[in-house]
Amino acid sequence: MRVEEEAKPPVTSRRTLKREAAMSRIRVTARELLVEQGTAAVTVSAVARRLQVTGPAIYRYYDSHEALIQAVTADFYDELIDVIAAARDAGTDAADRLLRMCRALRAWAVAHPAEYGWIFQHPATAAGMAAESAGAAAGDRFGAVFRAELARLWRNGGFPVRDTAELPQALRRQLEAYSADIVEDLPPQAVHVLLGCWIRLFGTLSLEMSGQLEFAFDDPEPVFEECLAELADRLALEYRPPRSPDQV
Amino acid sequence: MRVEEEAKPPVTSRRTLKREAAMSRIRVTARELLVEQGTAAVTVSAVARRLQVTGPAIYRYYDSHEALIQAVTADFYDELIDVIAAARDAGTDAADRLLRMCRALRAWAVAHPAEYGWIFQHPATAAGMAAESAGAAAGDRFGAVFRAELARLWRNGGFPVRDTAELPQALRRQLEAYSADIVEDLPPQAVHVLLGCWIRLFGTLSLEMSGQLEFAFDDPEPVFEECLAELADRLALEYRPPRSPDQV
DNA sequence: ACCTCCGAGTTAACGGCGATAACTTCAGTA
DNA sequence: TACTGAAGTTATCGCCGTTAACTCGGAGGT
């Protein structure tokens, strides 16, 4: 305490430092409750109880139960994005990078199903609620990781595309709009492939995570790998199985 | 009242008739609340209030809040199955039947997003809870409609398949297990196509319904139609656009 | 070094929730 | 017609989210 420890930069004063530590502890505790006992157990009172404080104390840090959930979910987003970016950076070539990213995505989802549910199947999102600013921004950052990687692939050699003149007008219009919206330089026919792959990938994962494959598959991993093989084929990349050709 | 109206068959006595009417009224009211105000508004007290009774009265009919939700969800299942069966029966040939079924599925989902959410993204299902008997049975009945239609297609001419010898062992094992589980006579290589189509179809719809396509598509209908075209191609069926070639 | 003030945390309270217990009332059944 | 059991009531419990009013201690400025 008495030692002078870089006392100069009070940009983040001790007050705010302690505050941020407390907020972090609250979010971590909320996550623990989520993982241990499910969504319904993440309650303001329960978080406070576990932190040896009374309920209203939490409101010093988060305006409402909903705000707390949003903040915790934002943590999940950040963590998932970090995991995928790390997987990408461990890759050697385009195919390796993309396969690693997709496998890292599923691995994180399987290891953290409750967190995945809060990111992608949050009731507020599903219940007709319009995409609120924070959630949409986080979703964009997440999508941007994959989009940037595909844009890179498009620059370095490209991948087979279909002429958008063949497509229905309603589809072409939206592909052109999205192509114009993004920062990457992807023409509509490349956006078509990007979104097709996106839907295949996340559609499969979404079904697995919501338990809709259990009726037929006790181990959905080979289903996901089959999906990856299809994606690689679409992108004219070489598919390579994960580790050993037979076992995960 | 005093008229003798088939007084003989008291298999369902007046007591139980009134009871079933009351239970139906409760479920209908719960659905109204769900559609009007979202999942969180479907509360025992709110249902009771709208029915001009006090809260505990509901417990005469449903053991718990959860039991009520389950019963309401079962209604949704039945309704969706009926809609799809009707669409199937309106079809003329194999391709027409299958396309009508898929379009009826999406049309119901889009018209009833909250109900769809309770069927396919119920928190109890997603929160790691094992598939409870009632839910699993309803899901099986639902899947059986599509499975039976594909089995019929398999009998009448079939569709292209891949040799299961090419597939990873973990995948082959599960395809064989599911092939043995179902009542229809579908070999593993046909089950492979069936499940692949199932995942493509429901993966796409699942993304749309959970709002995960909004970042790029304001109208996901052509995306779904593109999915149907792919499914038709896989099944060696002729794809036909819905009504007029340009508009829904 | 002191003083001030602000923020963390407290208690008390409100309304609403799911759920149970004990009671009253009334209609279907025998 | 008499009775019995179902339907519905009130009262109550514990938990939730949230707000208000208060205390207290330490960080920050002088």
Side-chain angles (χ1 to χ4, degrees), chain B residues 182-238:
Chain B
I182 59 182
V183 301
E184 291 87 358
D185 194 24
L186 284 171
Q189 64 272 20
V191 160
H192 187 209
V193 175
L194 162 65
L195 293 175
C197 291
W198 178 272
I199 290 170
R200 188 85 63 95
L201 178 69
F202 280 88
T204 303
L205 188 58
S206 175
L207 286 194
E208 172 180 354
M209 296 309 295
S210 58
Q212 293 185 61
L213 295 184
E214 289 169 10
F215 74 98
F217 298 100
D218 52 79
D219 172 23
E221 196 263 347
V223 175
F224 188 77
E225 285 300 323
E226 197 176 24
C227 171
L228 292 188
E230 278 188 52
L231 297 192
D233 185 57
R234 273 209 200 185
L235 296 170
L237 294 173
E238 181 200 358

Side-chain angles (χ1 to χ4, degrees), chain A residues 171-192:
Chain A
L171 182 59
R172 194 172 61 236
R173 174 186 62 78
Q174 296 183 83
L175 295 178
E176 287 165 355
Y178 187 66
S179 167
D181 249 19
I182 59 181
V183 301
E184 291 86 359
D185 195 24
L186 284 171
Q189 64 271 21
V191 161
H192 187 208

